[in-house]
Amino acid sequence: MKTNNFKLTLLLLCLGAITTIQAQGLYNLATLDEEEGNSPLKWSAGIDYGYDDVVDSLDEGVGWANSTIGGSAGFGWNDNDGNSETSFCVGAEYLHRISRDKRNPNGAGYVGAYVNYHNSSADNFDESLLRVGAKYTYFDRITAFNEVQLTYGAGAYYDTGSLDFSGFDEDVTGYGASLYFGANFRLCDKASIGVEVPVISFVSRTFESNGNEVTRDNISAMINKNNPAMFTFRYHLGDSQNLWDRQD
């Protein structure tokens, strides 16, 4: 019950955030130049581009970084018959744009690699895993000046680590894959923060102790101890050529 309440609360928060974005930041591009009081963020200090100049360049598309590097941190929680299980995850990632046009008016796709340290624990066990994987992420612009994007993606990974279960040590290896969605918020031209929420995941792990092996497969949905929400920070590399950085 506690897990269901937690998931429902998170879903309501996501819906509320999307509603707020739509109410305050999603502009009709066809009539944008007729709206009063709208202006892009001043991404370049000391440079003042006219609002009309920025609006005129919307048809050329917004700018996308050549690549990004960043870090991530996440958490997960589950309650199984009164036994609480928690997890945390920290990591780093690199993404490279595969969309050819870096001024695509809608969005851009990236592929990359990541490495995470994942720990799960409860009253009678503690599991530590090193995770190496590859991922695809699509950034879908939802505000006129590209301050906010929705993100959709998929990833696959390989795990290796150890499990201490009631004083008995086991070696752990495995692999998995997941689908996720989220949002990315640009802080400035070179940096952004975001969140990635898992939709569904598959994991297969093999536990080995004293020559004996046991393999367990599991499919899980939304946030839980094996499927944490991830908060991200990304630094943009290369020339993103944003609307307000246009050179005439």
Side-chain angles (χ1 to χ4, degrees):
M1 181 62 71
K2 292 181 179 179
T3 302
N4 292 335
N5 290 339
F6 176 74
K7 293 177 181 178
L8 180 59
T9 301
L10 181 68
L11 178 61
L12 292 176
L13 288 174
C14 291
L15 292 175
I18 293 174
T19 301
T20 301
I21 291 171
Q22 290 177 332
Q24 298 182 0
L26 185 58
Y27 301 111
N28 182 348
L29 300 186
T31 61
L32 184 61
D33 56 345
E34 299 175 359
E35 299 187 26
E36 297 181 357
N38 293 327
S39 61
L41 298 176
K42 297 296 187 273
W43 302 91
S44 301
I47 302 178
D48 186 11
Y49 290 103
Y51 176 68
D52 292 338
D53 294 333
V54 177
V55 170
D56 290 341
S57 66
L58 281 172
D59 291 337
E60 300 177 19
V62 298
W64 301 98
N66 295 333
S67 56
T68 70
I69 57 173
S72 60
F75 68 92
W77 177 79
N78 194 26
D79 188 286
N80 186 13
D81 295 330
N83 296 318
S84 295
E85 302 176 10
T86 60
S87 66
F88 70 89
C89 185
V90 293
E93 70 167 23
Y94 171 80
L95 296 176
H96 180 74
R97 192 186 73 245
I98 58 173
S99 297
R100 293 182 57 186
D101 188 357
K102 60 185 173 183
R103 292 184 64 83
N104 190 313
N106 297 315
Y110 289 76
V111 295
Y114 66 94
V115 57
N116 289 341
Y117 171 75
H118 189 130
N119 178 268
S120 299
S121 61
D123 293 338
N124 60 346
F125 80 91
D126 187 275
E127 183 181 61
S128 296
L129 298 171
L130 181 65
R131 177 172 296 175
V132 178
K135 65 190 299 186
Y136 169 82
T137 304
Y138 186 80
F139 293 79
D140 185 7
R141 181 185 65 149
I142 61 170
T143 58
F145 301 113
N146 203 25
E147 304 98 333
V148 183
Q149 306 111 25
L150 292 180
T151 58
Y152 323 95
Y157 58 84
Y158 173 79
D159 278 336
T160 182
S162 62
L163 170 66
D164 181 349
F165 183 80
S166 298
F168 296 94
D169 293 329
E170 297 181 338
D171 294 326
V172 182
T173 57
Y175 59 90
S178 64
L179 301 176
Y180 60 87
F181 74 96
N184 193 62
F185 306 87
R186 297 185 65 146
L187 301 175
C188 63
D189 181 45
K190 287 295 186 180
S192 62
I193 59 174
V195 61
E196 294 179 354
V197 178
V199 177
I200 189 169
S201 296
F202 167 80
V203 61
S204 177
R205 291 201 176 109
T206 299
F207 303 85
E208 190 275 330
S209 178
N210 298 324
N212 298 316
E213 293 186 355
V214 175
T215 298
R216 298 171 184 167
D217 297 337
N218 183 54
I219 296 177
S220 56
M222 297 305 291
I223 297 173
N224 56 57
K225 68 180 183 66
N226 293 318
N227 222 16
M230 300 294 292
F231 297 93
T232 63
F233 172 82
R234 296 184 175 100
Y235 181 78
H236 305 170
L237 302 174
D239 183 8
S240 59
Q241 292 189 1
N242 291 298
L243 302 176
W244 35 87
D245 292 331
R246 189 172 51 129
Q247 299 296 325
D248 296 323

